[in-house]
């Protein structure tokens, strides 16, 4: 570890600072026995597929492994390589992404696939700097692809790694201010060899033994190096600032039926849930907007007492449900009538899937 980082840590680090070779070797020995079996991981002796590594990393952003495990298999069965994905229709991809959340990832997924085909003839670049120029690939994803897919020494830091490092070095700096220091400290323990396995081992450790609450320290392969464990305070790290309350917003979802079909709209490409099919909705405001911006002013709208609650990253939303029957057909390019009996295939985002379930009742 360099002197600058060591001096920064000296006021809080009574426990010896772990050395990279020992940390890496102990963790990799544990990983060789306890690695999670995941559909996007490669077996010893196999060459990793950069496409599968990239796809899994994008899908895993803000989404649980349990959810991605099944959806990943569906994706690679339908789009087995980057060339096939690049040729996919936008609407098909957005519908397939429904339920995974953070829909900008789906738009970037297509843009990235097309960029890899156009710029690199369908072969992902193996350098972090080049990977970061591709749509939807930031520092973490570029490092993960470089390390896991290409065996490059890259420092891969996700939420699990942040937690392991914060406990390993017992960092008193609260998040998010601690993030730059955590990355520097992660670099001090990242080995030159098996960097991809090391990154996945850190993630597995954070997802299992070194969990956010009640970490299981006795069997941890890094226990002898961990300053928080030595102090008996592992669940006190990382230090987080007080949570801010999410604002509460209100809106109305409109269920408009016509001859066994329901009116759906295509949301604008930019913004929340961009490019997704959805039920029409009025403004989302601090107070319930009632029937404001109903899609068919001539329809006899009935504002029901049914409500849909949904939590987004930065706010909570409560949607009232308004229902009506229409006499005509939608003509706008962003509108379509969808069979109610087949509404599941529309690929509605979760909040509107909840509304559709209520609308059919």
């Amino acid at each position: 570890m360099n002197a600058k980082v060591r001096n920064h840590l000296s006021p809080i680090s009574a426990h010896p600072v772990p050395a990279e070779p020992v940390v890496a070797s102990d963790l990799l020995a544990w990983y060789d026995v306890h690695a999670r079996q995941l559909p996007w991981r490669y077996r010893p002796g196999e060459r990793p597929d950069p496409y599968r590594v990239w796809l899994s990393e994008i899908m895993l952003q803000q989404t649980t492994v349990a959810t991605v495990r099944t959806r990943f298999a569906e994706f690679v069965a339908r789009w087995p390589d980057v060339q096939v994905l690049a040729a996919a229709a936008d609407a098909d991809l957005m519908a397939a992404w429904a339920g995974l959340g953070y829909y900008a990832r789906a738009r970037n997924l297509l843009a990235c696939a097309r960029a890899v085909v156009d710029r690199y003839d369908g072969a992902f670049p193996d350098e972090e700097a080049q990977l970061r120029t591709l749509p939807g690939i930031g520092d973490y994803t570029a490092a993960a692809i470089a390390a896991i897919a290409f065996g490059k020494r890259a420092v891969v830091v996700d939420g699990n790694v942040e937690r392991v490092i914060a406990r390993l070095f017992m960092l008193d700096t609260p998040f998010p201010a601690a993030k730059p220091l955590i990355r520097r400290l992660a670099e001090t323990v990242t080995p030159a060899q098996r960097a991809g396995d090391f990154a996945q081992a850190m993630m597995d450790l954070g997802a299992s033994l070194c969990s956010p609450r009640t970490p299981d320290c006795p069997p941890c392969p890094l226990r002898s190096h961990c300053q928080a464990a030595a102090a008996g305070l592992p669940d006190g790290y990382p230090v987080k600032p007080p949570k801010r309350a999410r604002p509460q917003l209100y809106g109305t979802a409109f269920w408009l039926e016509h001859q066994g079909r329901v009116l759906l709209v295509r949301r604008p490409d930019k913004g929340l849930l961009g490019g997704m099919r959805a039920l029409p909705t009025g403004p989302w405001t601090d107070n319930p907007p009632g029937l404001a911006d109903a899609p068919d002013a001539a329809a006899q709208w009935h504002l029901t007492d049914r409500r849909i609650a949904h939590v987004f990253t930065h706010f909570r939303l409560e949607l009232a449900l308004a229902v009506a029957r229409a006499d005509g057909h939608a003509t706008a390019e962003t509108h379509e009538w969808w069979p109610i009996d087949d509404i599941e295939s529309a690929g509605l985002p979760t909040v509107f899937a909840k509304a559709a379930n209520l609308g059919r009742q």
Side-chain angles (χ1 to χ4, degrees), residues 68-125:
V68 172
R69 187 189 293 269
T70 300
R71 303 297 295 277
F72 177 84
E74 296 171 354
F75 263 72
V76 295
R78 186 171 183 180
W79 297 295
D81 57 47
V82 70
Q83 289 90 349
V84 176
L85 182 60
D90 291 43
D92 290 344
L93 190 283
M94 297 303 290
W97 195 267
L100 287 171
Y102 298 89
Y103 293 95
R105 291 181 298 162
R107 297 192 295 274
N108 284 330
L109 196 76
L110 268 181
C112 184
R114 291 164 182 168
V116 169
V117 170
D118 292 343
R119 297 184 207 170
Y120 300 104
D121 197 27
F124 280 86

Side-chain angles (χ1 to χ4, degrees), residues 40-270:
W40 48 86
R41 284 193 176 167
Y42 55 93
R43 297 179 179 86
E46 291 182 341
R47 182 167 183 160
D49 181 354
Y51 170 72
R52 293 168 70 92
V53 173
W54 162 73
L55 178 60
S56 67
E57 290 297 338
I58 298 299
M59 296 182 82
L60 286 164
Q61 293 171 10
Q62 306 296 326
T63 307
T64 65
V65 168
T67 298
V68 172
R69 187 189 293 269
T70 300
R71 303 297 295 277
F72 177 84
E74 296 171 354
F75 263 72
V76 295
R78 186 171 183 180
W79 297 295
D81 57 47
V82 70
Q83 289 90 349
V84 176
L85 182 60
D90 291 43
D92 290 344
L93 190 283
M94 297 303 290
W97 195 267
L100 287 171
Y102 298 89
Y103 293 95
R105 291 181 298 162
R107 297 192 295 274
N108 284 330
L109 196 76
L110 268 181
C112 184
R114 291 164 182 168
V116 169
V117 170
D118 292 343
R119 297 184 207 170
Y120 300 104
D121 197 27
F124 280 86
D126 61 1
E127 297 293 338
E128 288 182 77
Q130 290 177 299
L131 288 163
R132 283 195 295 267
T133 67
L134 294 169
I137 295 185
D139 291 344
Y140 162 76
T141 307
I145 296 171
I148 298 169
F150 297 106
K152 299 295 182 75
R153 185 185 185 275
V155 182
V156 184
V157 181
D158 71 348
N160 284 318
V161 176
E162 287 178 340
R163 184 166 58 257
V164 172
I165 293 293
R167 289 171 175 167
L168 195 63
F169 292 89
M170 205 164 75
L171 298 184
D172 285 337
T173 305
F175 276 40
K179 285 178 176 285
L181 178 58
I182 284 176
R183 192 192 184 285
R184 293 198 299 272
L185 292 173
E187 185 168 7
T188 69
V189 296
T190 299
Q193 303 297 321
R194 298 187 66 188
D197 286 345
F198 179 80
Q200 293 178 110
M202 289 285 275
M203 295 176 201
D204 281 10
L205 185 67
S208 57
L209 302 180
C210 200
S211 57
R213 298 179 181 85
T214 61
D216 188 7
C217 294
C220 177
L222 301 186
R223 183 184 184 188
S224 63
H225 311 296
C226 182
Q227 297 177 36
L233 299 170
D235 53 357
Y237 298 88
V239 179
K240 296 182 179 179
K243 287 186 177 180
R244 295 181 181 179
R246 288 186 177 96
Q248 177 69 59
L249 298 182
Y250 300 88
T252 303
F254 296 99
W255 180 266
L256 185 63
E257 289 190 28
H258 176 70
Q259 296 181 352
R261 297 173 180 263
V262 63
L263 182 68
L264 299 182
V265 299
R266 179 80 63 180
R267 293 179 63 84
D269 287 337
K270 294 185 178 180

Side-chain angles (χ1 to χ4, degrees), residues 288-303:
L291 299 176
D293 294 347
D296 184 347
Q300 297 297 309
W301 286 103
H302 169 59
L303 191 62

